[in-house]
Amino acid sequence: MEQQLERCREKLKKLQQELNEERFKVIYLESVLSRPQPPKPLPRVRSNKPPAPLPLPDRDFEYERGCPERFVLGILLSPGDTRPEAEETARHERRSRTDRDSLSHDHYLSFDLEEDPSIDFNYGTDGYDAEGNEEHKISREGSETMPYIDESPTMSPQLSARSQDSVDGVSPTPTEVLLPGGESESDKGLLMRKLVLSGVLASEEIYINQLEALLLPMKPLKATASTSQPVLTLQQINDIFYKIEDIYQMHKDFYDKLCPIVQQFDNTTTVGHLFQKLASQLGVYKAFVDNYKFALETAEKCGQSNIHFFKISEDLKVKGPKESKEQPRSVTMEALLYKPIDRVTRSTLVLHDLLKHTPTDHPDYPLLQDAFRISQNFLSNINEDIDPRRTAVTTPKGDPRQLLKDGFLVELSENSRKLRHLFLFTDLLLCAKLKKTTVGKHQQYDCKWYIPLADLVFPSPEESEPIPQLHATPDHEIEEMKAKISVLKSEIQKEKKSNKGSSRATERLKKKMFEYESWLLLYSPTIPFRIHNKNGKSYFFLLSSDYERSEWREAIQKLQKKDLQALALSPFELQMLTASCFKLRTVHNVPIISHKDDDESPGLYGFLHIIVKSAKGFTHSSNLYCTLEMDSFGYFVSKAKTRVFRDTTEPEWNEEFEIELEGSQCLRILCYEKCFDKSKLNKDNNEIVDKIMGKGQIQLDPPVVQSKNWHDDVIEMNGIKVEFSMKFSSRDMSLKRTPSKKQTGVFGVKISVVTKRERSKVPYIVRQCIEEVEKRGIEEVGIYRISGVATDIQTLKAAFDANSKDILMMLSDMDINAIAGTLKLYFRELPEPLLTDRLYLAFIEGMALSDPAAKENCMMHLLRSLPDPNLITFLFLLHHLKKVAENEPVNKMSLHNLATVFGPTLLRPSEVESKGHTNLASDIWSHDVMAQVQVLLYYLQHPPISFADLKRSTLYYSTDV
């Protein structure tokens, strides 16, 4: 069936080509018959001499075969033109020329203009081909940038060889030169002008039909936008169809005015004013071009999340020309959205042709010159804003080599981390780094290595050799660096406000911040990504996101499904390819905050509450779970993980997580199938490799997320739908200490009241949670750092508040992270911090003392000043946290990590005065938060402290610092 389909497509292309030729014959014959005196037929002459060329109307811009650019059937073909219709057209032209060269002499003399397929004035009627509608979809696959708009007509050899008298680059047609056969150049020019304009009309009609097809679903989509079940939101509709209505109206007006003029065309007819007006409205195209990439992305995301819109966008019906009896053809929305981009270049071609065949003394000439100049300038300005995707070189098969994906990755080379820029082309993977250049010189890349995709393999976990021992960066160093970056960001904001602009101090701060962020980008990734050249060595990368690792792997494997050939680049080819990387790249800056413009969204700071509900669309029963990734400080990190739902096709997790946001703008969800096969152990990180079943992401829209109500959403991934809800709360609201109205429970009740009621020195909830963690969670990776399921935490909270008899059984069955989360929540909801409001400033100021002995005396005296229930509970917790840190090699929780988690919880005052910067990034990593962490860290690093020793001590030290 696939072979039959291909044969049908080929036949359809040939029939459409023949149809175009027949249309041209009709136009030509009509123009010949309208002449008062048709030219006399040329006599047939039989001769052994080579045939003399027939005086056909010359198409000047049909270039010689050796030219780097040529026009065929009204389409510009550049060396990098990869469109299927263009390649088909070029092949057809070559076949036609071969056939024409092989004609006998007397047949050649009777060969007429309409039989030459290299001459066509339908300017894009071939673009109506249903198969051709997918042309740019193919060339843009994997691309994240706008297609390059080719302005080559203005750079052609014909134009560069223009006469000195021609100012605008188009040689005018002389009016008094007589052609053989008695036909004047002016008659030829008149005919050619009519042919060009007839082709314009045919092309405009098809283009208008395409725009109509694109606009057809817009009205019903807008009608449903205000209903309870909209297909798309009004904003999404406006983003996708941006400026299409304006472009349609422009060309509809142009067509309506041009049509009667062409039908009654003669030597006095003028059309220059119409083209001049059309050119003056190109600003609408500029707006469309600027929005084009965003429109495509929005349409793609909407298609993934809404099956109704997907069906609409994949089956838009385009009408055929009026005189044609063709049935409407099915075209995708993506293909139609490209049509205005393609139209910009073709409009310049039309003006080029009209000028070539317009006498200089004709009233149209200056108007067409002006329109041509406007078109040229427009193309040049547009191309300055678009990354040109020119083909660097061709592959061994002769196909164009295109860049499909690029990005910054950390490579582990010679036991050290190196920041690399990775470029994925259609047939090879190239690793490069930016060369250091002096001021004023263009930046260039230095190629470190490349692997042909035909030779690239991903080694399985059991096959891969373990990498040399890599000294992982301690978590506390990562957290300390984040704190420094946040403080610097706060200082930069203050500096800008005080100076109302840039200053040397601001630039110094920005430079320091860039250094810190670069360090963070280099040393925070930990997820291994290995690739291997089957003819050589392996290469090892570290990523911070499993989502990104999956994207790179999938992009490479998709290309490897094609018929790839082994290759070896010569030094010159490699040099040319590497040099092209700077222009071809789509990722220009490393992903750090410093590269953001001031007017860009700073992201969200606070807490995001997410309920992962369920998933549907799995084809077979599996052990399934999800992970949540969030961008933080410019890169993505894993923030939460659901429990494994066993042997099901429709898992229902219904788990709630509280995720801290640090300038976050995007949420990613990955769905995995859990693997229990120990043979698939990854030697790089000693973790079993689980299979990614699907992945997706959404942008966090602040107006939507920051509403008080829960926001329901769905992410579609490879046919899988994951349903979730989310709600945002600021850090101040999340950590606000609110006393409980009911004093019968334990949460939100003073610790002295609870211990007195229970007749205990340490609250029962604290003792039981710590006991359970030490029993089965002391070696849990990320204990106290990884979020527990919010619904489980609330269940335990309710049980402790009600003093349930089943609490011990519930604890033994509950996930250990939920128990750890319950303990943190208890301390967070105390109406007064464990270390009390009264002593808060004293603790902070005591840490600021530079004399070690004075600091020791002060900090110990402050502990003695605490109420007994607070002190005993604090020492009990301190002993437990030290025990957890002793298992740091297994659980990855150092004293620094634990201080970061518990510091603000134990010290944050119940009432925080507004300091006027609650919305800044530094709110999370403010000086206060850093100080709170340092206070707890001091006691964690201190030798063991006992309640009895503190009470026996008689040393008094004033709390006035």
Side-chain angles (χ1 to χ4, degrees):
M1 290 176 69
E2 288 178 350
Q3 291 174 353
Q4 181 66 23
L5 177 62
E6 287 300 317
R7 285 196 293 269
C8 289
R9 285 176 174 169
E10 288 297 322
K11 188 174 181 180
L12 179 62
K13 287 182 180 179
K14 292 178 182 178
L15 290 173
Q16 287 169 337
Q17 183 63 45
E18 292 174 7
L19 176 62
N20 284 338
E21 293 175 5
E22 291 300 318
R23 283 178 182 162
F24 182 82
K25 288 180 183 180
V26 171
I27 295 171
Y28 176 73
L29 290 172
E30 284 177 349
S31 63
V32 171
L33 290 173
S34 65
R35 294 182 182 180
Q37 293 182 351
K40 296 179 180 180
L42 291 172
R44 294 175 180 255
V45 179
R46 294 188 179 272
S47 171
N48 293 326
K49 294 181 180 179
L54 188 71
L56 302 177
D58 182 32
R59 181 84 184 267
D60 289 336
F61 53 81
E62 183 182 354
Y63 298 159
E64 296 179 3
R65 300 182 187 184
C67 292
E69 296 169 335
R70 61 199 188 281
F71 285 93
V72 181
L73 292 171
I75 303 171
L76 174 68
L77 292 184
S78 299
D81 200 334
T82 63
R83 296 173 294 172
E85 66 167 323
E87 293 301 319
E88 177 64 22
T89 301
R91 287 194 294 270
H92 184 85
E93 181 208 19
R94 288 193 292 270
R95 288 196 300 267
S96 299
R97 287 186 173 182
T98 303
D99 295 341
R100 192 163 64 233
D101 292 343
S102 64
L103 290 174
S104 64
H105 186 198
D106 74 323
H107 190 178
Y108 184 82
L109 289 177
S110 63
F111 186 87
D112 210 335
L113 170 65
E114 67 269 20
E115 293 178 342
D116 186 353
S118 67
I119 303 177
D120 178 30
F121 295 94
N122 283 328
Y123 294 97
T125 55
D126 50 356
Y128 179 68
D129 181 358
E131 297 301 318
N133 282 323
E134 299 299 318
E135 62 206 16
H136 298 286
K137 185 174 182 180
I138 295 171
S139 64
R140 282 191 317 99
E141 189 174 334
S143 165
E144 295 181 0
T145 61
M146 270 281 303
Y148 187 79
I149 299 179
D150 206 322
E151 53 184 309
S152 302
T154 66
M155 312 290 286
S156 70
Q158 299 298 109
L159 294 177
S160 63
R162 62 184 179 271
S163 65
Q164 296 298 321
D165 299 331
S166 175
V167 178
D168 289 84
V170 179
S171 302
T173 304
T175 57
E176 298 179 356
V177 179
L178 294 179
L179 295 176
E183 190 177 53
S184 70
E185 185 70 27
S186 61
D187 289 338
K188 172 196 167 185
L190 177 64
L191 171 62
M192 297 305 294
R193 275 165 55 80
K194 183 171 183 180
L195 291 177
V196 170
L197 291 173
S198 298
V200 170
L201 269 184
S203 176
E204 282 290 316
E205 183 183 359
I206 290 174
Y207 183 48
I208 290 170
N209 289 344
Q210 291 167 343
L211 294 176
E212 282 181 346
L214 190 56
L215 288 171
L216 189 62
M218 189 176 73
K219 289 184 179 180
L221 286 173
K222 282 188 174 180
T224 62
S226 57
T227 64
S228 59
Q229 291 183 328
V231 177
L232 300 181
T233 65
L234 195 59
Q235 184 61 50
Q236 289 171 332
I237 296 170
N238 292 335
D239 291 340
I240 294 171
F241 298 96
Y242 185 67
K243 292 297 179 182
I244 298 293
E245 285 183 298
D246 295 340
I247 293 174
Y248 169 77
Q249 198 56 51
M250 274 172 53
H251 286 271
K252 186 71 168 61
D253 293 344
F254 175 74
Y255 177 83
D256 291 343
K257 292 176 181 177
L258 183 64
C259 189
I261 294 176
V262 175
Q263 289 174 351
Q264 301 180 9
F265 190 82
D266 58 35
N267 200 30
T268 61
T269 302
T270 59
V271 294
H273 61 289
L274 298 179
F275 285 93
Q276 188 183 42
K277 181 181 179 181
L278 191 65
S280 67
Q281 296 174 311
L282 284 175
V284 178
Y285 274 94
K286 175 66 166 71
F288 175 85
V289 169
D290 291 342
N291 184 70
Y292 173 73
K293 176 187 172 186
F294 184 64
L296 279 187
E297 291 174 349
T298 305
E300 184 179 359
K301 289 178 182 177
C302 292
Q304 291 174 351
S305 61
N306 191 296
I307 188 63
H308 299 295
F309 180 72
F310 176 78
K311 290 179 180 178
I312 292 171
S313 63
E314 290 296 308
D315 189 25
L316 296 177
K317 301 297 184 182
V318 179
K319 296 184 298 185
K322 291 178 183 178
E323 72 277 4
S324 170
K325 295 182 180 179
E326 298 175 17
Q327 293 296 318
R329 297 178 182 271
S330 178
V331 187
T332 65
M333 181 175 290
E334 181 182 9
L336 289 181
L337 280 173
Y338 185 82
K339 294 302 176 183
I341 302 291
D342 192 41
R343 198 70 188 174
V344 177
T345 299
R346 300 195 180 202
S347 297
T348 309
L349 292 179
V350 172
L351 290 166
H352 178 275
D353 292 346
L354 280 176
L355 273 172
K356 293 292 289 183
H357 303 291
T358 300
T360 53
D361 55 355
H362 194 283
D364 268 350
Y365 194 79
L367 300 176
L368 292 174
Q369 272 189 322
D370 188 49
F372 188 60
R373 176 184 55 79
I374 294 171
S375 261
Q376 282 181 295
N377 293 338
F378 175 76
L379 283 182
S380 298
N381 292 335
I382 287 290
N383 284 335
E384 287 177 3
D385 301 331
I386 299 174
D387 279 340
R389 283 186 167 272
R390 297 286 192 176
T391 304
V393 289
T394 55
T395 64
K397 294 174 66 176
D399 299 327
R401 174 178 289 132
Q402 289 182 312
L403 176 67
L404 299 181
K405 182 177 176 62
D406 69 304
F408 289 95
L409 278 76
V410 175
E411 183 184 15
L412 185 62
S413 176
E414 299 175 355
N415 289 335
S416 62
R417 296 171 182 248
K418 310 285 186 181
L419 188 63
R420 304 296 195 209
H421 201 148
L422 212 57
F423 295 87
L424 176 61
F425 290 92
T426 44
D427 61 339
L428 61 85
L429 183 70
L430 185 144
C431 180
K433 75 166 187 176
L434 270 175
K435 291 181 179 179
K436 292 183 179 180
T437 55
T438 56
V439 179
K441 288 190 175 182
H442 293 295
Q443 285 187 306
Q444 291 181 335
Y445 280 100
D446 178 27
C447 177
K448 305 305 295 182
W449 50 263
Y450 76 91
I451 304 178
L453 295 187
D455 298 330
L456 189 150
V457 293
F458 296 104
S460 61
E462 57 271 18
E463 293 173 346
S464 60
E465 294 294 327
I467 61 170
Q469 183 62 36
L470 175 67
H471 297 289
T473 308
D475 287 343
H476 71 85
E477 291 187 19
I478 299 291
E479 300 303 329
E480 287 174 0
M481 188 59 72
K482 288 182 179 179
K484 292 178 181 178
I485 292 170
S486 296
V487 170
L488 279 175
K489 191 172 180 68
S490 176
E491 291 177 0
I492 290 171
Q493 295 286 348
K494 292 177 183 177
E495 192 70 29
K496 285 182 177 179
K497 288 182 178 178
S498 61
N499 290 295
K500 296 182 179 180
S502 60
S503 66
R504 290 186 178 180
T506 303
E507 293 305 316
R508 284 197 297 270
L509 290 171
K510 285 184 175 180
K511 184 178 180 181
K512 180 62 71 176
M513 183 173 167
F514 176 77
E515 292 175 1
Y516 287 168
E517 287 184 301
S518 299
W519 183 93
L520 193 64
L521 182 70
L522 198 62
Y523 289 98
S524 57
T526 58
I527 298 176
F529 177 51
R530 183 194 296 274
I531 56 177
H532 178 69
N533 186 340
K534 63 184 181 183
N535 298 322
K537 60 182 291 189
S538 293
Y539 301 93
F540 192 84
F541 294 92
L542 294 169
L543 291 83
S544 61
S545 163
D546 202 15
Y547 190 101
E548 293 171 13
R549 176 170 67 173
S550 174
E551 280 191 326
W552 277 102
R553 186 188 296 270
E554 289 172 4
I556 293 171
Q557 289 175 337
K558 185 176 182 179
L559 290 171
Q560 288 180 326
K561 291 179 181 178
K562 302 177 182 179
D563 181 22
L564 296 173
Q565 294 181 352
L567 64 95
L569 298 180
S570 67
F572 176 74
E573 288 175 323
L574 183 58
Q575 181 183 0
M576 293 297 294
L577 183 61
T578 307
S580 71
C581 287
F582 189 78
K583 281 190 176 182
L584 293 172
R585 61 181 182 168
T586 61
V587 181
H588 292 75
N589 297 316
V590 291
I592 56 179
I593 303 173
S594 300
H595 286 146
K596 282 189 177 181
D597 297 330
D598 293 337
D599 57 351
E600 286 190 58
S601 171
L604 293 169
Y605 292 88
F607 290 90
L608 187 67
H609 302 265
I610 300 178
I611 301 176
V612 183
K613 296 180 178 178
S614 60
K616 297 178 181 178
F618 296 97
T619 56
H620 61 278
S621 294
S622 307
N623 304 313
L624 304 167
Y625 69 93
C626 284
T627 63
L628 309 179
E629 290 185 355
M630 199 74 69
D631 56 323
S632 171
F633 289 86
Y635 59 92
F636 281 85
V637 291
S638 182
K639 289 285 190 178
K641 175 182 174 181
T642 68
R643 66 181 183 273
V644 179
F645 216 93
R646 291 177 176 265
D647 297 325
T648 181
T649 57
E650 295 187 358
E652 295 185 2
W653 295 287
N654 293 316
E655 298 183 43
E656 183 180 342
F657 302 94
E658 184 183 73
I659 298 175
E660 188 173 15
L661 306 182
E662 301 165 305
S664 305
Q665 295 179 320
C666 186
L667 167 68
R668 289 174 171 174
I669 296 183
L670 296 94
C671 199
Y672 292 85
E673 179 182 3
K674 182 68 178 176
C675 177
F676 295 100
D677 185 357
K678 293 186 178 181
S679 66
K680 295 187 177 182
L681 195 70
N682 193 326
K683 296 179 182 179
D684 295 326
N685 56 10
N686 291 321
E687 291 183 5
I688 294 175
V689 179
D690 296 331
K691 180 182 178 182
I692 295 180
M693 303 297 289
K695 64 185 189 303
Q697 62 182 359
I698 61 164
Q699 292 296 122
L700 298 178
D701 186 13
V704 175
V705 176
Q706 291 178 333
S707 64
K708 295 181 180 179
N709 301 321
W710 285 92
H711 172 66
D712 295 330
D713 212 330
V714 176
I715 286 184
E716 291 201 16
M717 45 181 86
N718 299 342
I720 302 167
K721 291 184 179 180
V722 177
E723 298 180 357
F724 64 98
S725 299
M726 57 185 174
K727 182 175 68 172
F728 172 81
S729 62
S730 66
R731 186 177 177 85
D732 287 335
M733 291 301 297
S734 294
L735 294 181
K736 188 176 181 180
R737 300 182 185 275
T738 306
S740 174
K741 295 180 180 178
K742 295 181 180 180
Q743 293 297 302
T744 56
V746 294
F747 282 84
V749 181
K750 286 186 177 181
I751 196 168
S752 58
V753 174
V754 174
T755 52
K756 185 177 180 180
R757 185 203 309 144
E758 296 176 350
R759 297 180 182 179
S760 62
K761 295 181 179 180
V762 177
Y764 178 72
I765 182 175
V766 175
R767 287 184 281 117
Q768 290 304 316
C769 288
I770 286 178
E771 181 181 329
E772 197 67 31
V773 170
E774 291 184 355
K775 184 189 297 182
R776 58 189 180 92
I778 201 78
E779 294 185 350
E780 180 76 15
V781 176
I783 188 70
Y784 290 118
R785 179 176 59 82
I786 292 179
S787 302
V789 179
T791 47
D792 291 346
I793 294 173
Q794 292 301 318
T795 300
L796 285 175
K797 176 183 176 181
F800 277 112
D801 272 338
N803 195 21
S804 172
K805 296 179 181 179
D806 300 328
I807 190 67
L808 292 178
M809 184 178 296
M810 292 175 64
L811 286 172
S812 62
D813 293 338
M814 196 67 71
D815 177 67
I816 197 64
N817 287 316
I819 296 172
T822 303
L823 180 63
K824 290 189 294 181
L825 183 65
Y826 169 74
F827 286 117
R828 186 189 301 174
E829 291 193 357
L830 283 174
E832 183 183 48
L834 187 64
L835 299 187
T836 71
D837 286 329
R838 180 177 62 87
L839 297 176
Y840 174 71
L841 288 178
F843 276 113
I844 301 301
E845 292 168 350
M847 281 301 300
L849 293 174
S850 55
D851 180 46
K855 181 185 289 187
E856 167 79 9
N857 289 335
C858 178
M859 299 303 284
M860 291 303 109
H861 176 71
L862 289 173
L863 283 186
R864 287 194 299 273
S865 303
L866 289 171
D868 283 358
N870 297 58
L871 176 58
I872 295 172
T873 302
F874 177 69
L875 295 178
F876 188 76
L877 177 64
L878 209 62
H879 176 72
H880 166 66
L881 295 180
K882 289 183 179 181
K883 190 179 292 186
V884 171
E886 289 172 2
N887 290 272
E888 180 189 355
V890 181
N891 61 33
K892 311 297 183 186
M893 292 301 293
S894 64
L895 291 175
H896 291 78
N897 293 342
L898 293 166
T900 301
V901 171
F902 278 94
T905 302
L906 301 180
L907 280 110
R908 186 179 178 90
S910 54
E911 294 293 334
V912 182
E913 295 182 3
S914 174
K915 298 183 180 180
H917 62 272
T918 57
N919 292 325
L920 294 181
S922 58
D923 183 47
I924 289 181
W925 285 105
S926 62
H927 292 286
D928 288 346
V929 173
M930 290 178 64
Q932 293 158 13
V933 171
Q934 291 301 316
V935 169
L936 181 56
L937 184 60
Y938 177 84
Y939 290 118
L940 285 171
Q941 293 175 335
H942 197 278
I945 306 169
S946 71
F947 179 78
D949 291 342
L950 281 174
K951 289 300 180 182
R952 279 198 300 269
S953 175
T954 57
L955 177 65
Y956 175 81
Y957 187 88
S958 172
T959 58
D960 296 331
V961 181

